[in-house]
Amino acid sequence: SGANRLSGSTLIAACHVLRISTNQLLSQAEQPDAAPDVADASDALLENVRRIEAGPLRTQALRLIEALAGLSEMQRAQAALAADADLLGALPFAIYTTNHTGELTYFNEAAVAFAGRRPRLMMDRWCVTHRLYRPDGVYLPHDECPMAVALKENRPVRGARAIAERPDGARRWFTPHPTPLHNNAGVMIGGINLLLDQGAA
């Protein structure tokens, strides 16, 4: 149906982040059977890691590589999306991703600012927020939040509105846009959520 395909603008943005032309991307897609030179790829990877100045950033890069090495092809596809800090991290909206069981796999800094806390990857589930409330002020458990509904029912959730409470007690109205992510076979591998801040509650 094309429902889960990338738009042309998204492909162009991806090419910009990867520093390749659209022709290079398409030519690679047209040759799926071409066997990559594993040795050359490994050397290039190590060389790029060495170029990162020693410190937290290099540590994060090494942890990411170690994590990806143990993932399945399906999980790598989701991790690649989550690791694209240049694309998602630059957006001024709170965005996060989860795996198919709801554990957080990525969040941008806008999500940290919105939630008033730094979520814990693969530990926090369903949402980046501290606490949630329904529009009428009734407490909303995380496992009943819009993202949980989207993943449990395998469908996007639109039109919802909720209140997020930060650890300091401040509350914000927001509109979530949780959407399941699927692989090429149509299997749900996780979800992505964009939270639109609508002001103090």
Side-chain angles (χ1 to χ4, degrees):
S1 67
N4 296 308
R5 294 173 185 260
L6 294 176
S7 66
S9 60
T10 302
L11 287 174
I12 291 173
C15 289
H16 175 73
V17 171
L18 296 172
R19 296 178 177 82
I20 63 174
S21 69
T22 52
N23 286 336
Q24 287 176 294
L25 182 65
L26 294 175
S27 64
Q28 291 173 5
E30 292 168 357
Q31 300 174 0
D33 296 329
D37 189 323
V38 176
D40 288 347
S42 298
D43 290 343
L45 177 60
L46 289 174
E47 180 59 30
N48 284 327
V49 171
R50 290 191 190 100
R51 291 179 183 175
I52 302 175
E53 185 176 347
L57 184 58
R58 180 188 283 185
T59 301
Q60 286 182 328
L62 291 172
R63 286 177 179 171
L64 175 62
I65 292 169
E66 290 174 355
L68 291 177
L71 297 180
S72 67
E73 182 178 355
M74 184 186 305
Q75 291 170 314
R76 285 173 188 162
Q78 185 187 17
L81 172 65
D84 193 357
D86 285 335
L87 190 59
L88 298 181
L91 296 176
F93 311 108
I95 295 177
Y96 68 92
T97 64
T98 72
N99 59 21
H100 70 285
T101 55
E103 285 88 1
L104 267 63
T105 55
Y106 168 82
F107 55 86
N108 63 4
E109 288 303 311
V112 175
F114 171 78
R117 64 186 290 268
R118 186 165 293 277
R120 300 165 299 170
L121 296 180
M122 298 307 295
M123 294 181 68
D124 289 347
R125 294 185 72 190
W126 311 118
C127 193
V128 296
T129 55
H130 176 57
R131 286 195 183 93
L132 290 171
Y133 297 88
R134 304 180 194 275
D136 60 4
V138 175
Y139 174 68
L140 174 62
H142 278 104
D143 61 0
E144 297 177 15
C145 74
M147 179 59 124
V149 173
L151 294 178
K152 291 176 181 179
E153 299 182 6
N154 193 12
R155 64 177 179 87
V157 174
R158 298 292 182 266
R161 197 164 183 241
I163 300 170
E165 183 180 85
R166 296 172 175 171
D168 63 5
R171 294 186 178 187
R172 308 286 297 180
W173 283 103
F174 74 98
T175 301
H177 296 78
T179 305
L181 298 173
H182 303 87
N183 65 6
N184 290 336
V187 177
M188 187 180 70
I189 59 173
I192 184 168
N193 200 358
L194 181 150
L195 310 179
L196 292 180
D197 188 345
Q198 297 184 325

